[in-house]
């Protein structure tokens, strides 16, 4: 059989005794999208040979006719060969009918259900929420419950712009925009999952709710904490990411200042605190920057946040850091002092501008220029911008220029 064979000839070969002939005929008919061959291809889903069943399943997907979805779902429940099962799932994806996917999800063996879940997720269709909620609540497969809970958070978003899996954006094919209608119902059900006895499901539900930026998330989590629930990493991240998170400041501050907690979570909380204006947020940032400077990267992040907030009450400690701190923290402190605008830092910054730290020198110069925009600093900054490779050669000029006489 070749590409030149007629459809009628290929149709007849679907019942040939040779396995290779049947498989080849099914492949070519699917490639040509020959709908008249659909009933015969459907029969081949029960063929004794796995290769023929795989080719028949793929061909039915290529036809993209929902009339064959029931047969594919039925075949999926009985199929033992994993490669054929994969082909059936891909065909259901091509047919792009949510109802058939949901039917398949309920009927499929557990090993196939994750693949169908990913297919359903790509549709971002709230109509899938009922099936996903059922899996989240009652499936015996814990991994499947976690996956379904995560996908619930994705489809509950107000608006998503997506293109189908495998498709590339194209000027003539605008990205789909979908307005969700089932959001309140999904969120209310996800609140129940936060009280699930399995921590993996609980954490996934909390993280998914946090992504929705729902102001009620904070109140709900705080209520859970009052009941004695553990302040685990996902819960803290949810508190940090949600709107209305200033109500959770005491919990966030206590978590970020505990050196035993995970680095990545503490770092994200520092960034969240930097966007808050409450005094408790500043106190927590100061504690990380100066009282518990165990991890350099966290201290540097907290100092950067204090600089952006122009917290002048931290200036004296930042001056000490510029003089004696570790290099990464020194750089953040030099940058922060320039943002704060406190001229008491001039002497410390002048010393930093002639230090041996290549990264610290330009930061100190920029801060000096912000505090006292003298022609000397401006000249050196222009040279650093225009000739960055000659930075070392500027050290003696910086030294003599900064020592050129007292300031007015």
């Amino acid at each position: 059989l070749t590409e030149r064979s007629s459809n009628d000839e290929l149709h007849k070969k679907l019942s040939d005794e040779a396995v290779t002939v049947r498989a080849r005929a099914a492949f070519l008919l699917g490639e040509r999208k020959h709908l008249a061959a659909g009933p015969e291809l459907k029969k081949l889903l029960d063929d004794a040979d796995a290769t023929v069943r795989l080719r028949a399943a793929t061909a039915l997907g290529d036809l993209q006719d929902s009339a064959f979805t029931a047969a594919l779902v039925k075949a999926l429940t009985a199929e033992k060969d994993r490669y054929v099962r994969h082909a059936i799932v891909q065909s259901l994806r091509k047919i792009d009918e949510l109802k058939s996917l949901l039917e398949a999800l309920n009927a499929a063996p557990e090993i196939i259900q994750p693949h169908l879940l990913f297919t359903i997720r790509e549709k971002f269709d709230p109509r899938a929420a009922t099936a996903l909620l059922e899996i989240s609540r009652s499936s015996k497969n814990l991994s499947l419950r976690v996956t379904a809970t995560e996908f619930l958070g994705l489809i509950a978003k107000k608006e998503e712009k997506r293109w189908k899996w495998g498709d590339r954006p194209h000027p003539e094919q605008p990205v789909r925009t979908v307005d969700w209608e089932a959001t309140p119902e999904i969120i209310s059900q996800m609140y129940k999952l936060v009280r699930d006895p399995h921590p993996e499901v609980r954490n996934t539900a909390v993280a998914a709710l946090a992504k929705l930026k729902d102001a009620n998330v904070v109140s709900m989590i705080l209520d859970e904490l009052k009941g004695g629930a553990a302040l685990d990493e996902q819960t803290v991240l949810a508190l940090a990411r949600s709107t209305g998170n200033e109500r959770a400041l005491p919990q966030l501050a206590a978590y970020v200042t505990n050196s035993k907690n995970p680095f990545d979570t503490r770092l994200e909380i520092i960034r969240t605190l930097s966007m808050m204006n409450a005094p408790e947020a500043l106190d927590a940032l100061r504690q990380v920057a100066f009282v518990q400077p165990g991890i350099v990267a966290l201290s540097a992040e907290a100092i950067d946040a204090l600089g952006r907030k122009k917290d002048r009450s931290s200036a004296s400690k930042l001056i000490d850091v510029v003089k004696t701190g570790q290099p990464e923290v020194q750089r953040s402190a030099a940058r922060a002092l320039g943002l704060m605008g406190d001229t008491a830092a001039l002497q410390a910054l002048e010393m930093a501008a002639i230090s041996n730290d290549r990264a610290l020198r330009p930061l100190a110069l920029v801060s000096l220029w912000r505090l006292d925009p003298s022609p000397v600093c401006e000249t050196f900054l222009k040279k650093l911008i225009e000739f960055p490779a000659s930075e070392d050669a500027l050290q003696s000029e910086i030294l003599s220029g900064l020592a050129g006489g007292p300031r007015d």
Side-chain angles (χ1 to χ4, degrees):
L1 296 176
T2 67
E3 285 77 2
R4 295 181 179 179
S5 301
S6 67
N7 290 337
D8 290 340
E9 184 180 357
L10 292 174
H11 203 158
K12 293 177 182 177
K13 294 297 181 181
L14 290 175
S15 56
D16 195 275
E17 293 182 359
V19 169
T20 55
V21 174
R22 295 200 303 276
R24 178 67 175 168
F27 169 76
L28 290 173
L29 287 167
E31 197 175 51
R32 296 178 184 182
K33 294 180 170 43
H34 185 55
L35 282 173
E40 291 300 320
L41 290 170
K42 187 169 67 172
K43 293 178 184 178
L44 291 183
L45 292 174
D46 297 322
D47 195 277
D49 186 82
T51 302
V52 176
R53 297 199 301 274
L54 187 150
R55 292 298 188 189
T58 302
L60 286 171
D62 290 335
L63 297 182
Q64 297 182 0
D65 189 336
S66 60
F68 305 116
T69 56
L72 288 168
V73 170
K74 181 181 177 181
L76 184 64
T77 60
E79 184 56 58
K80 303 298 182 185
D81 188 285
R82 60 183 180 132
Y83 296 107
V84 180
R85 288 201 302 261
H86 179 74
I88 293 172
V89 170
Q90 295 304 313
S91 290
L92 288 169
R93 184 197 300 263
K94 290 178 185 176
I95 293 174
D96 197 26
E97 187 188 46
L98 181 66
K99 182 180 177 181
S100 67
L101 290 172
L102 294 177
E103 290 174 357
L105 183 63
N106 293 325
E110 282 192 353
I111 194 170
I112 283 295
Q113 285 180 327
H115 301 287
L116 290 168
L117 277 178
F118 275 96
T119 304
I120 291 170
R121 182 199 69 172
E122 288 163 4
K123 296 180 179 302
F124 290 88
D125 195 321
R127 291 176 297 168
T130 302
L132 293 174
L133 282 167
E134 183 62 29
I135 292 171
S136 299
R137 288 193 297 251
S138 59
S139 175
K140 295 179 180 179
N141 185 328
L142 181 58
S143 175
L144 204 61
R145 294 187 64 204
V146 171
T147 303
T149 304
E150 179 186 353
F151 292 171
L152 275 171
L154 291 173
I155 68 170
K157 290 184 179 180
K158 301 286 185 185
E159 183 178 275
E160 277 292 340
K161 292 184 178 180
R162 287 286 187 269
W163 49 84
K164 294 181 183 179
W165 184 87
D167 292 345
R168 295 181 180 274
H170 191 275
E172 298 177 0
Q173 181 187 356
V175 176
R176 296 185 297 176
T177 299
V178 182
D179 293 321
W180 304 122
E181 299 174 354
T183 301
E185 290 77 7
I186 296 173
I187 292 176
S188 66
Q189 292 298 322
M190 290 180 71
Y191 282 148
K192 297 178 182 178
L193 293 173
V194 174
R195 297 175 177 83
D196 194 90
H198 289 283
E200 294 91 341
V201 177
R202 261 197 327 268
N203 289 342
T204 306
V206 167
L209 283 166
K211 291 177 182 176
L212 302 180
K213 302 292 184 185
D214 186 342
N216 294 324
V217 171
V218 172
S219 297
M220 178 268 299
I221 294 174
L222 293 178
D223 289 342
E224 289 295 305
L225 295 176
K226 289 176 184 176
L231 191 64
D232 56 34
E233 186 175 354
Q234 291 291 348
T235 302
V236 173
L237 286 175
L239 288 171
R241 292 168 179 163
S242 300
T243 53
N245 48 21
E246 290 195 5
R247 287 175 287 171
L249 256 174
Q251 286 80 5
L252 294 176
Y255 192 95
V256 78
T257 53
N258 187 341
S259 58
K260 294 181 180 179
N261 288 325
F263 168 83
D264 290 339
T265 309
R266 294 175 69 199
L267 183 63
E268 180 152 353
I269 293 173
I270 289 172
R271 291 168 179 167
T272 300
L273 292 173
S274 70
M275 294 183 284
M276 298 182 187
N277 297 317
E280 294 91 337
L282 282 174
D283 289 340
L285 291 172
R286 292 187 199 108
Q287 190 167 350
V288 175
F290 307 121
V291 180
Q292 293 182 338
I295 300 179
V296 172
L298 291 178
S299 299
E301 188 75 27
I303 288 172
D304 281 333
L306 290 170
R308 290 193 297 272
K309 288 186 164 297
K310 296 180 172 55
D311 179 36
R312 287 201 175 193
S313 63
S314 302
S316 59
K317 291 182 178 179
L318 290 176
I319 290 171
D320 292 337
V321 171
V322 169
K323 292 178 180 178
T324 61
Q326 298 184 57
E328 186 175 348
V329 183
Q330 277 184 311
R331 296 164 198 160
S332 292
R335 183 165 47 232
L337 285 168
L339 294 172
M340 288 178 185
D342 192 336
T343 55
L346 286 171
Q347 185 179 0
L349 290 171
E350 287 176 354
M351 295 304 297
I354 58 173
S355 73
N356 293 323
D357 188 339
R358 292 170 59 92
L360 177 60
R361 289 198 295 269
L363 292 172
L365 271 174
V366 171
S367 291
L368 277 171
W369 183 77
R370 281 177 172 158
L371 296 179
D372 181 17
S374 64
V376 173
C377 286
E378 188 174 357
T379 299
F380 291 142
L381 286 173
K382 285 181 179 178
K383 285 187 178 181
L384 286 174
I385 294 170
E386 294 171 4
F387 306 105
S390 64
E391 183 190 332
D392 284 336
L394 294 175
Q395 183 167 349
S396 59
E397 288 188 56
I398 293 171
L399 181 59
S400 59
L402 294 178
R407 297 180 184 275
D408 297 332

